[in-house]
Amino acid sequence: MAGPAMSDDQLAAAHRALRAGGDVQFDMVAAPGRPPPPAWLKALGEWLEKVLAPVGRFLNWIGSFMPDAPYARIFLWTMIGALALLILWIVVDRVRHGVWRLPQWRRRRSAQGVAATEEEDWTPAAAPARAWLEEADALAAKGRYGEAVHHLLLRSVEDLARRRPQIVRPALTSRDLAGAQGIPSAPRRLFSEIAAVVERSLFGGRSIDAEEWGRCRHAYADFAQTRNWAA
């Protein structure tokens, strides 16, 4: 059975008791605000805003020339981004390898043209090559053929480092360089001939005689293309 109905006074008294208890919230309280960012973060944001402001103005200036069509803007911004990535790639490749060049797919040339250009690039300066041969000849004249051939090997490595700086590294051996794919076939064959004689001398305990010295000298002369400046 339902209990007796409450009078208005009883209802009002119960409401006052409920509000006085504090267990139920009747008033809306504003949520506490987020604490302000630290000073260093605020300063960093202001600095970035100042630094990147010219970039934003530049992008807005480029966007002012674009049509209003959204798909056209997406296409044009994609092309600009691709061009920026290409320029970045070229700069990074220049820092790594020491030469300015386009990506491989933009440098397609005939095999004969590439080989001819590489062979021409292998001609070292005449005066240093002549001086190196004279130094090696002086050692050979004293019967120090092993030192003379080793001298030519070191000078050949210097030629390689000057012509192909991306290939020659301190940790590579002469055998590694002789098998490097970035070296044209003719210089690689001549270099391998000199390196093989030095390797047999240093690690095989075999002395170098006048005949082997003569072959190595001739190989270095061809390697340095001495015929272009000496009789």
Side-chain angles (χ1 to χ4, degrees):
M1 295 180 61
M6 296 180 63
S7 64
D8 293 341
D9 293 337
Q10 291 176 329
L11 183 62
H15 181 261
R16 287 193 298 271
L18 181 63
R19 292 182 61 91
D23 297 333
V24 180
Q25 178 179 336
F26 289 92
D27 299 325
M28 298 296 295
V29 180
R34 286 185 288 182
W40 66 268
L41 184 59
K42 184 177 180 181
L44 177 61
E46 294 175 352
W47 179 81
L48 288 175
E49 182 180 2
K50 184 182 299 183
V51 170
L52 297 179
V55 178
R57 289 195 296 267
F58 176 71
L59 295 178
N60 289 333
W61 177 74
I62 294 179
S64 64
F65 295 97
M66 295 183 179
D68 294 332
Y71 291 106
R73 283 179 170 265
I74 293 175
F75 173 77
L76 292 176
W77 279 119
T78 302
M79 296 298 296
I80 292 174
L83 180 61
L85 290 177
L86 176 62
I87 295 175
L88 178 62
W89 186 95
I90 294 175
V91 172
V92 172
D93 189 69
R94 171 64 174 83
V95 174
R96 292 179 56 191
H97 302 295
V99 292
W100 292 104
R101 61 182 184 179
L102 292 176
Q104 188 68 29
W105 57 272
R106 294 294 301 276
R107 297 186 298 115
R108 293 178 180 174
R109 294 180 293 179
S110 65
Q112 293 180 351
V114 174
T117 302
E118 288 180 341
E119 294 293 341
E120 292 175 359
D121 290 344
W122 277 100
T123 305
R130 184 188 299 112
W132 296 336
L133 272 177
E134 291 175 354
E135 294 171 0
D137 286 337
L139 292 171
K142 300 176 183 179
R144 298 157 62 182
Y145 300 118
E147 296 179 41
V149 175
H150 192 243
H151 179 79
L152 293 182
L153 178 64
L154 294 178
R155 299 312 181 189
S156 301
V157 173
E158 291 185 13
D159 286 342
L160 295 178
R162 198 164 51 250
R163 297 296 167 178
R164 295 294 187 272
Q166 70 273 21
I167 295 177
V168 179
R169 294 290 183 269
L172 296 181
T173 64
S174 58
R175 179 176 296 185
D176 296 330
L177 294 175
Q181 295 300 317
I183 303 175
S185 58
R188 183 168 62 248
R189 175 179 54 81
L190 296 168
F191 178 82
S192 300
E193 184 176 345
I194 301 173
V197 173
V198 174
E199 185 175 346
R200 287 195 299 268
S201 173
L202 293 180
F203 303 108
R206 175 181 170 184
S207 61
I208 299 175
D209 55 20
E211 183 179 354
E212 284 185 314
W213 150 248
R215 288 200 302 268
C216 290
R217 188 192 190 285
H218 181 73
Y220 177 75
D222 287 344
F223 177 85
Q225 297 187 12
T226 56
R227 61 183 178 275
N228 293 332
W229 47 263

